[in-house]
Amino acid sequence: MKTDSTMESKTDALDTSIGKPLVAADQNGQNAVEDFVDPWNVHTSSMKGVDYDKLINKFGCSAIDDSLIERFKRVAKVEEVHPLLRRGVFFSHRDLHVILDCVEKGQKFYLYTGRGPSSDAMHLGHLIPFLFTKWLQEVFDVPLIIQITDDEKYYWKSLSLEKVKEMAVENIKDIIAMDFHPDKTFIFRNLEYMGQSVGFQETLARIQKLVTVSKIRGQFGFSDSDCMGKYSFPFNQAVPSFSSAFPQIFKGKTNVPCLIPCGIDQDPYFRMTRDVAPRLKFLKPALVHSKFFPALQGANSKMSASDPNSAIFLTDTHEEIKEKINKYAYSGDRDTVKEHQEKGGDCSVDIAFQYLTYFEENDEELEKIRQNYSSGEMFSGQIKEILIKKLTRVVLDHQTKKKSITEDIVRGFMTPRQLVFDF
Ligand code: TRP
């Protein structure tokens, strides 16, 4: 794997195969269906989930290695990095070292992330990028821009505009409930905000002039029968990567560096964005990518808002959490007690264990469970019990927070304004 904490920014590999299933030869020379990842679909046949090393090579991004994490700690002046970073959930990046260079020189940057509102209730997987982003905002004391892509969901799903708006508002409350800094965070909904902002429109026009239809087709796999909304959408997601889009926040500066925490499936959007940046004399946004949060049924199946049993939702009750985990969480136990005690449980497929790697902050606790399970002493049922307790707390705390988010608070976050930010 490349170690690139000191490497120059490299050209992003252009992946023209997005949108088409991949078929490759396996070790036996037979055709095996490879993992497939784009912003709309993720397929893997492995219970261990997507092969992320392969994905890094295919996408042309870089692994986050120990030396980069060490440098992160030095530059950010933190004793430890966030569990999601040290446990490899955020596993890949583009130009993260460039952001660290800025911080070292005392320059500020901003954070940009987003969410496509596809259901009224967000599930645990949706929290992941926001949990990490919140930590980054605190550590670096920087402004954060959150884009809600109601337009994206309107074009891709059979939902009415009214419905996507309703979901957007509900999701925004969930996001605010995660305690983002009110003076340093701007949240906007594309269909409401884009048309009001000259800065946004001008940045959009600059990008759109440089990218051809054939490029977009190649990069995103769109066909003649896809609607124009889909063709235009990638630009809307690209725009907030450039500080020129938010003159009210950045006082007209067009060169404030941007760091984007996102799921690895969002990388195609930002590959296009990074491609056009130098031609506009803008800075390429830097990225940190996360792995996918697995469905209860195992890392080879998909969490879906239309299947309530595939995920834990932020609206679930204790009873629902308990029932779903006990009934559906894929177990890494062996077939018989004897075999389990001999071989030990398989942490790499056990969903209760996998979920704890996201939500148990205490490294020693987690390590104890890992050892006891892999040695065969512990069974998945016991990990499930620990997980149910943990997630009930996470979800119920979230619900209490969310109740306190009034319409006024929402408006506050969504008002275009100057953020507290010293250059
Ligand atoms: N397309 C993303 C989704 O479907 C939403 C999004 C918009 C986003 N801008 C972003 C995600 C920037 C990460 C970073 O959820």
Side-chain angles (χ1 to χ4, degrees):
M1 202 54 57
K2 292 163 222 92
T3 57
D4 95 336
S5 43
T6 52
M7 232 165 60
E8 290 282 275
S9 160
K10 59 182 175 176
T11 317
D12 300 339
L14 234 196
D15 184 352
T16 50
S17 63
I18 292 167
K20 297 175 203 125
L22 283 172
V23 178
D26 66 16
Q27 288 124 329
N28 307 321
Q30 284 167 342
N31 281 342
V33 179
E34 266 199 17
D35 296 340
F36 177 77
V37 175
D38 78 3
W40 311 282
N41 295 291
V42 178
H43 298 301
T44 176
S45 52
S46 166
M47 287 310 293
K48 293 186 183 3
V50 169
D51 182 333
Y52 290 101
D53 288 340
K54 269 196 194 154
L55 200 59
I56 282 180
N57 283 332
K58 183 167 138 48
F59 278 11
C61 33
S62 308
I64 296 181
D65 58 15
D66 290 346
S67 71
L68 185 54
I69 292 187
E70 284 310 310
R71 178 160 184 238
F72 189 110
K73 282 196 226 168
R74 281 197 308 275
V75 173
K77 300 192 174 71
V78 288
E79 262 174 42
E80 221 0 307
V81 295
H82 193 277
L84 291 171
L85 186 55
R86 64 176 187 263
R87 293 180 190 159
V89 173
F90 280 84
F91 72 107
S92 152
H93 76 105
R94 294 185 189 272
D95 288 351
L96 180 55
H97 50 286
V98 174
I99 295 292
L100 296 179
D101 292 345
C102 289
V103 176
E104 255 177 348
K105 285 185 240 149
Q107 293 166 357
K108 287 278 180 184
F109 67 96
Y110 72 100
L111 291 160
Y112 158 42
T113 191
R115 151 125 193 100
S118 56
S119 60
D120 286 316
M122 282 171 53
H123 59 57
L124 288 179
H126 296 139
L127 288 185
I128 303 307
F130 291 106
L131 282 171
F132 186 58
T133 303
K134 177 176 152 50
W135 181 78
L136 290 172
Q137 182 178 39
E138 274 166 13
V139 165
F140 292 108
D141 189 25
V142 288
L144 162 65
I145 291 170
I146 301 177
Q147 176 181 52
I148 305 297
T149 54
D150 47 0
D151 50 347
E152 177 184 24
K153 295 302 156 184
Y154 180 62
Y155 299 138
W156 264 274
K157 310 249 167 191
S158 53
L159 292 165
S160 68
L161 271 181
E162 292 69 28
K163 186 64 199 169
V164 287
K165 178 176 174 184
E166 197 185 301
M167 297 190 304
V169 172
E170 211 44 45
N171 286 191
I172 289 168
K173 283 191 188 156
D174 275 321
I175 293 168
I176 294 174
M178 297 181 70
D179 260 349
F180 288 104
H181 198 301
D183 298 333
K184 293 178 184 165
T185 308
F186 174 49
I187 305 180
F188 68 95
R189 189 164 70 76
N190 277 357
L191 290 170
E192 175 185 282
Y193 175 69
M194 284 188 326
Q196 291 174 23
S197 163
V198 175
F200 198 104
Q201 289 304 325
E202 286 185 355
T203 306
L204 181 63
R206 285 182 208 278
I207 304 170
Q208 281 193 329
K209 185 162 177 174
L210 295 183
V211 185
T212 61
V213 169
S214 71
K215 182 81 184 264
I216 287 293
R217 271 175 196 262
Q219 204 149 9
F220 296 97
F222 299 151
S223 71
D224 272 0
S225 56
D226 282 308
C227 70
M228 283 310 299
K230 288 189 183 178
Y231 278 81
S232 68
F233 175 75
F235 303 100
N236 298 348
Q237 183 153 333
V239 168
S241 316
F242 302 123
S243 60
S244 62
F246 304 99
Q248 78 278 16
I249 296 174
F250 301 109
K251 302 178 188 129
K253 287 197 182 187
T254 59
N255 60 354
V256 184
C258 173
L259 173 63
I260 309 175
C262 62
I264 184 77
D265 58 322
Q266 300 297 304
D267 189 68
Y269 288 125
F270 299 117
R271 239 175 280 154
M272 182 272 284
T273 312
R274 288 168 53 90
D275 253 14
V276 295
R279 286 192 281 158
L280 292 169
K281 304 205 166 38
F282 287 157
L283 296 168
K284 289 185 181 188
L287 301 162
V288 270
H289 302 118
S290 68
K291 295 179 179 171
F292 302 111
F293 190 76
L296 280 171
Q297 284 76 1
N300 64 342
S301 64
K302 202 174 138 35
M303 282 189 294
S304 143
S306 53
D307 176 4
N309 293 328
S310 65
I312 306 291
F313 289 87
L314 294 173
T315 45
D316 284 349
T317 61
H318 166 65
E319 287 69 30
E320 284 167 328
I321 295 172
K322 189 172 166 191
E323 155 135 354
K324 284 190 205 182
I325 292 174
N326 280 334
K327 211 159 158 187
Y328 300 108
Y330 186 83
S331 146
D333 285 358
R334 306 292 169 179
D335 291 342
T336 62
V337 172
K338 190 163 169 277
E339 196 192 339
H340 189 82
Q341 283 163 342
E342 276 165 21
K343 291 189 183 156
D346 187 351
C347 288
S348 68
V349 301
D350 189 84
I351 287 297
F353 182 79
Q354 292 295 316
Y355 278 24
L356 280 181
T357 65
Y358 286 82
F359 289 99
E360 172 56 69
E361 302 92 9
N362 187 323
D363 288 346
E364 280 162 32
E365 262 324 290
L366 188 68
E367 184 51 24
K368 227 170 50 199
I369 297 169
R370 198 187 62 75
Q371 281 180 11
N372 290 343
Y373 190 56
S374 359
S375 69
E377 256 169 72
M378 202 174 185
F379 289 85
S380 191
Q382 292 160 284
I383 307 184
K384 287 182 177 187
E385 250 173 66
I386 300 170
L387 181 69
I388 290 164
K389 265 206 202 118
K390 183 110 244 162
L391 292 188
T392 301
R393 221 193 51 221
V394 170
V395 169
L396 295 188
D397 283 355
H398 181 87
Q399 290 168 2
T400 311
K401 278 258 175 58
K402 191 176 177 186
K403 274 202 200 106
S404 69
I405 310 298
T406 60
E407 293 306 317
D408 276 356
I409 296 177
V410 172
R411 252 316 113 206
F413 275 92
M414 295 183 76
T415 302
R417 65 204 192 279
Q418 212 173 323
L419 299 181
V420 176
F421 182 35
D422 291 329
F423 292 98

